Amino acid sequence: MLLEAQNLTFGYKKERRIIDDVTLSIDRGERVALVGPSGCGKSTLSQILAGYIKPQKGMVLWEGKPLPKKGYCPIQLIYQHPEKAINPRWKLGRTLTEAWQPDPVFLEEMGIEPAWMDRYPIELSGGELQRFCIARAMGPETKFLIADEMTTMLDVITQAQIWQLMLQQIEKRQMGMMMVTHNEALAKQICNRIIDFQQLNL
Amino acid sequence: MRRIRRKKNQRKRTIYLILLIGILLLLLVIAGRFLSPEQYGPDYNEKKLTPSIQHLFGTDYLGRDMFARTIKGLSNSILIGTLAAGFSACVALVLGILSATIGGLVDKIISYLVDLCMGIPHLVLLMLISFMMGRGLRGVIVGIALTHWPNLTRVIRGEVLQIKNMQYVKVAEKLGKSKIQIAFQHILPHVIPQFIIGLILLFPHAILHEAGVTFLGFGLSVDTPAIGIILSEALKHIATGMWWLVFFPGMMLVMVVMMFDQLGEHVRRLLDPSSARE
């Protein structure tokens, strides 16, 4: 198993657990969709899986070992709002190369134009910024991507473009992927397994 | 193309304005330094003269040239302001960052001190400290330095707390960046503009408080040429019709304060990328 979650429990308040004893595992090469209604804890679960939040009980295992607390995390999370995930004071070239040096071929595949490197984030659109977020997270040490409503705020054409780029890269590099979405049609199109969050979190 | 060119002009104009104000203020300080005591000393042959070419701001009841006194006074004020505002701003930067990054008890103590200092009326605290330190130049500098840090501390603490919870900072952590790297690459560049602007905007406060506390008689000694002294002396003579003793020095004080205010505002525009396009 690539990614395993064992008996995860978490709640923002003590008396109310949002995530109650969740166990799940995702294998190599699998593309999994996590679906469920708003506010049920999908985003919280993906943040726990990516190591952003510490669960109150249970643990996340990566290739059989606990997630590293420091250093590069093999599981990278891509947020819903790219404009919040990018430092507004940095030119985009610096954001892109924060963790690794992508080569020009990869950038062309991602649809990132060289002219954007010298711009500030406010000068690009949401879809363009999201490409930077994805490219930034695609370092050689990244083995698994979690896309938390990654394209929800984008129009349909941009959505399709970005998912195409994603799938191309994921297949090329044999990465695992989990997406969080409301859109079941999109989930069926992209993933080979769909998990209903409410059945997982009884 | 046209839009881009206009943007560049706007940025250039901001830079020119900053340079202009900076040079004017610097000239004022230098001019004040090089004035000899005779130039602002008494000359009993030329008492109570109205403004003329020879005495631009007129002379007072001791025949002192008010233009020279005003320049000297402002020059002193700016130097006092530099010392006091610089010290205050550095205290604010250190306390603000400590408060936000360590948190817990440290945060509580610093926040309590900030509230304590802000709860006491500013001028009263300033008078107390200045009086305790034996008035004079030292009293004023220490007083202003010790009373101007709480506001900026609060601002910087808030900024650091906010930036610490930004998504891009958390992403940086997961990309394997150390705490020190994040502090220097993400947090400090975000706080430094606030610090610089805060520092510049402390100047008018410091200068006005220096003038205020001196005016009330708790600051600089009576014989030093300071705006506060000039104004409080002039007040006694305004009834005799010597309007120029109040008008010109007062105007100059307001102008210097406004120049510092504009300087801060333009530096803010230059440093903040989101308002760079305005």
Side-chain angles (χ1 to χ4, degrees):
Chain A
M1 287 296 152
L2 199 59
L3 175 63
E4 279 174 280
Q6 288 176 348
N7 311 95
L8 294 180
T9 302
F10 182 81
Y12 291 101
K13 284 178 190 160
K14 265 188 188 161
E15 62 275 20
R16 208 178 139 251
R17 289 172 174 174
I18 295 180
I19 289 163
D20 199 355
D21 205 20
V22 166
T23 297
L24 103 152
S25 58
I26 300 171
D27 214 343
R28 213 169 284 278
E30 258 192 315
R31 292 196 300 270
V32 175
L34 192 62
V35 292
S38 293
C40 68
K42 303 188 298 287
S43 287
T44 306
L45 179 63
S46 38
Q47 286 187 47
I48 293 174
L49 290 179
Y52 283 80
I53 301 176
K54 233 183 111 211
Q56 285 155 354
K57 271 183 212 154
M59 61 195 314
V60 178
L61 293 178
W62 171 253
E63 290 179 329
K65 280 174 283 192
L67 273 180
K69 280 206 184 84
K70 274 183 185 175
Y72 199 97
C73 184
I75 305 169
Q76 289 290 326
L77 178 65
I78 293 162
Y79 284 98
Q80 182 175 2
H81 302 291
E83 65 277 11
K84 284 188 195 162
I86 287 179
N87 190 337
R89 288 180 181 276
W90 287 11
K91 285 182 176 168
L92 284 158
R94 190 171 170 200
T95 297
L96 185 66
T97 54
E98 192 174 0
W100 68 299
Q101 289 288 338
D103 57 280
V105 182
F106 171 75
L107 292 182
E108 209 188 313
E109 284 171 351
M110 288 300 299
I112 292 174
E113 288 176 23
W116 294 349
M117 297 297 178
D118 277 333
R119 300 216 189 143
Y120 284 106
I122 46 159
E123 294 169 305
L124 293 188
S125 73
E128 288 162 352
L129 290 180
Q130 196 61 289
R131 288 168 209 241
F132 277 94
C133 287
I134 299 169
R136 177 180 59 182
M138 284 273 196
E141 292 166 78
T142 306
K143 301 288 183 315
F144 196 95
L145 279 176
I146 298 176
D148 182 7
E149 306 255 26
M150 185 178 75
T151 55
T152 311
M153 37 72 83
L154 303 174
D155 64 272
V156 188
I157 296 169
T158 318
Q159 243 182 45
Q161 278 176 347
I162 284 191
W163 276 112
Q164 224 152 25
L165 300 168
M166 273 284 278
L167 289 179
Q168 197 187 333
Q169 292 299 327
I170 283 167
E171 262 169 39
K172 199 167 158 187
R173 295 169 51 172
Q174 295 287 302
M175 294 160 95
M177 199 262 299
M178 185 180 98
M179 72 185 286
V180 174
T181 184
H182 293 288
N183 189 339
E184 272 189 67
L186 182 69
K188 276 179 194 148
Q189 198 51 236
I190 287 165
C191 298
N192 42 32
R193 178 149 71 107
I194 292 178
I195 300 173
D196 188 344
F197 186 77
Q198 282 173 310
Q199 278 174 1
L200 197 69
N201 192 21
L202 284 174
Chain B
M1 232 7 238
R2 190 189 246 166
R3 212 189 51 140
I4 293 166
R5 253 180 42 207
R6 237 180 63 202
K7 180 194 86 187
K8 271 197 176 150
N9 283 348
Q10 185 70 43
R11 261 186 116 77
K12 262 191 192 154
R13 248 180 55 196
T14 310
I15 292 172
Y16 288 150
L17 259 167
I18 290 171
L19 284 178
L20 183 72
I21 295 175
I23 288 169
L24 275 176
L25 289 172
L26 206 67
L27 271 179
L28 194 61
V29 173
I30 293 170
R33 288 292 91 188
F34 283 104
L35 276 177
S36 60
E38 294 98 63
Q39 280 170 290
Y40 53 87
D43 178 356
Y44 298 105
N45 293 325
E46 299 189 312
K47 282 194 279 187
K48 303 181 184 178
L49 295 180
T50 48
S52 63
I53 306 276
Q54 260 180 334
H55 301 286
L56 278 177
F57 292 180
T59 59
D60 66 0
Y61 62 101
L62 289 174
R64 295 178 292 195
D65 181 59
M66 292 316 285
F67 181 68
R69 272 181 86 74
T70 305
I71 298 293
K72 182 73 184 168
L74 284 173
S75 167
N76 282 343
S77 292
I78 293 174
L79 285 175
I80 292 171
T82 312
L83 270 173
F87 180 78
S88 261
C90 288
V91 168
L93 184 70
V94 172
L95 289 185
I97 290 179
L98 282 183
S99 186
T101 47
I102 298 177
L105 191 65
V106 175
D107 186 30
K108 275 203 186 114
I109 292 172
I110 292 174
S111 298
Y112 174 75
L113 279 176
V114 168
D115 288 343
L116 183 74
C117 285
M118 285 176 81
I120 305 170
H122 212 142
L123 207 56
V124 173
L125 191 61
L126 189 55
M127 272 157 54
L128 259 167
I129 295 176
S130 179
F131 192 74
M132 263 171 54
M133 296 298 295
R135 305 190 197 179
L137 191 64
R138 204 178 59 163
V140 172
I141 291 177
V142 173
I144 293 173
L146 288 182
T147 49
H148 283 73
W149 58 271
N151 264 319
L152 192 58
T153 303
R154 261 179 35 155
V155 171
I156 288 176
R157 174 179 173 270
E159 285 291 328
V160 175
L161 276 184
Q162 190 199 359
I163 200 100
K164 246 178 63 184
N165 289 312
M166 291 307 251
Q167 278 178 9
Y168 54 82
V169 171
K170 294 185 171 174
V171 169
E173 261 169 55
K174 290 294 150 201
L175 290 173
K177 298 278 165 181
S178 68
K179 279 217 157 78
I180 293 168
Q181 277 175 316
I182 290 174
F184 277 97
Q185 292 171 2
H186 285 286
I187 295 177
L188 209 60
H190 190 87
V191 177
I192 284 297
Q194 300 280 349
F195 169 75
I196 293 172
I197 296 156
L199 173 67
I200 296 173
L201 292 180
L202 268 180
F203 269 85
H205 264 265
I207 293 171
L208 281 178
H209 276 127
E210 182 262 327
V213 84
T214 304
F215 179 84
L216 291 172
F218 292 94
L220 303 175
S221 54
V222 190
D223 54 321
T224 38
I227 292 291
I229 298 284
I230 293 173
L231 289 179
S232 68
E233 275 181 359
L235 219 61
K236 294 173 201 152
H237 296 275
I238 199 163
T240 62
M242 290 160 76
W243 54 273
W244 59 89
L245 293 186
V246 176
F247 181 74
F248 290 113
M251 274 287 280
M252 287 294 280
L253 178 64
V254 171
M255 267 169 62
V256 166
V257 166
M258 277 171 67
M259 266 154 71
F260 270 112
D261 196 53
Q262 283 294 309
L263 190 65
E265 184 60 27
H266 281 95
V267 170
R268 185 187 68 76
R269 264 192 219 170
L270 200 66
L271 292 177
D272 186 4
S274 65
S275 63
R277 307 289 176 260
E278 279 166 13

